[in-house]
Amino acid sequence: MDSTICHLDYQPRNWRVGDGFWTFDFEHMRRDARLRDFARLEFRHWQAAPQLREAFFTGYGSRPTDTEQRLLERFGAIEAVTALVRGHEQDDVLLSAHGRTVLSQLS
């Protein structure tokens, strides 16, 4: 498994697009599996708009292998648990529902 420095909250709310592309909010950043940053996109954004997934990986230059896709699904379990915990802590019904939805997709 390739590792790199990961943002770990890599999603549109932490992007700025204009004359360029910027990311911000690095509080969770650390070394992790290269694919880890794609989990939030996979399970929060691309499920409802699969064409965005295709466009992203076209621009990225490669698509996940079968092994990497299985790893990405395992990272989905972390995404689900994170959403459930944060949803409970913040009394966020939508985030909690997202966590339950991801868990049901993975089972």
Side-chain angles (χ1 to χ4, degrees):
M1 161 174 62
D2 293 335
S3 70
T4 191
I5 301 300
C6 294
H7 186 275
L8 297 177
D9 194 11
Y10 193 69
Q11 59 180 327
R13 73 177 185 185
N14 290 324
W15 302 345
R16 288 296 176 255
V17 179
D19 292 334
F21 176 82
W22 301 270
T23 59
F24 59 94
D25 187 12
F26 296 98
E27 69 184 285
H28 301 292
M29 187 177 75
R30 69 169 188 264
R31 182 169 281 288
D32 208 320
R34 181 183 56 83
L35 290 172
R36 180 71 186 276
D37 268 339
F38 303 149
R40 196 153 280 175
L41 293 170
E42 178 81 17
F43 293 99
R44 286 196 190 193
H45 302 284
W46 294 340
Q47 297 291 314
Q51 73 278 9
L52 294 178
R53 184 182 202 277
E54 291 305 310
F56 179 89
F57 283 117
T58 296
Y60 186 68
S62 67
R63 286 172 170 59
T65 64
D66 290 341
T67 300
E68 290 171 331
Q69 186 60 41
R70 287 191 302 275
L71 181 60
L72 191 56
E73 290 167 5
R74 281 153 179 83
F75 289 140
I78 296 170
E79 166 69 13
V81 171
T82 299
L84 288 168
V85 170
R86 299 290 269 181
H88 175 74
E89 288 174 344
Q90 298 171 358
D91 199 26
D92 186 330
V93 175
L94 294 177
L95 190 55
S96 296
H98 167 68
R100 287 190 299 277
T101 298
V102 172
L103 281 179
S104 69
Q105 289 172 341
L106 295 172
S107 60

